[in-house]
Amino acid sequence: MQPTTFFKEAQAAGAIPQTARLQSSYQFGDEADQLAQLIIAGKKTATTSLYELYEKDGDELPTKQAYDVILDGRQQPVAIIKNDDVQVVDYLAVDATHAFAEGEGDRTLQAWRTAHDRFFAEECQAEGLQFDPATARAVLETFHVVYVR
């Protein structure tokens, strides 16, 4: 199913206002199926991306109150989330509260840093950039699920 079809299905079910617009559709990280299940279960209510990658690609930042379709590892829609907040902060300013809300691993800041340092280093390398935690900026999103099929 296409993300736009899934979004329209949620609107028809009354889960999303008819006037709402779809911001984007995407899968999370290296383990899309596992992370999608954490979102559906309500355990994952936050995510982090690198500001530098938005800047390099000329992409718009996510916005507060926007709707996104979450895809599984097969690129199929599994849920719709609504952003509660979006902030751009220094990467090293990400705190334990945000790490816990990401819902992954043991939910500690230390585990979050280890996983995200590795992931962002790989992501940057693939884009011809150098990841430096001391200078990197992070886009922090908090969200909640509004529709699951």
Side-chain angles (χ1 to χ4, degrees):
M1 173 183 290
Q2 292 295 315
T4 52
T5 304
F6 187 71
F7 192 77
K8 289 176 185 175
E9 177 183 289
Q11 287 176 313
I16 299 171
Q18 291 295 320
T19 56
R21 295 171 43 154
L22 177 61
Q23 175 176 252
S24 64
S25 58
Y26 56 89
Q27 58 181 203
F28 278 96
D30 294 333
E31 301 168 348
D33 290 331
Q34 178 185 5
L35 297 175
Q37 288 307 307
L38 290 174
I39 290 167
I40 291 168
K43 190 173 181 180
K44 180 173 181 59
T45 60
T47 193
T48 305
S49 51
L50 283 181
Y51 178 80
E52 289 79 4
L53 294 176
Y54 285 97
E55 193 172 55
K56 178 187 182 291
D57 295 337
D59 293 336
E60 290 186 29
L61 291 175
T63 59
K64 188 175 179 177
Q65 303 300 315
Y67 295 92
D68 297 313
V69 172
I70 304 306
L71 306 173
D72 66 14
R74 297 174 315 284
Q75 297 289 326
Q76 292 300 303
V78 294
I80 298 174
I81 60 172
K82 183 177 182 183
N83 282 340
D84 298 315
D85 195 24
V86 179
Q87 299 178 41
V88 178
V89 302
D90 291 336
Y91 179 75
L92 293 178
V94 175
D95 62 17
T97 301
H98 185 81
F100 185 84
E102 287 220 20
E104 301 170 42
D106 68 6
R107 301 177 88 172
T108 64
L109 181 58
Q110 180 180 359
W112 182 92
R113 286 218 186 278
T114 299
H116 284 78
D117 285 356
R118 178 195 53 78
F119 180 75
F120 290 145
E122 291 171 2
E123 216 176 23
C124 284
Q125 184 177 15
E127 293 290 328
L129 300 173
Q130 181 76 25
F131 174 66
D132 180 358
T135 59
R137 306 271 294 150
V139 180
L140 308 182
E141 295 175 67
T142 56
F143 54 81
H144 66 278
V145 174
V146 295
Y147 184 73
V148 176
R149 187 171 200 216

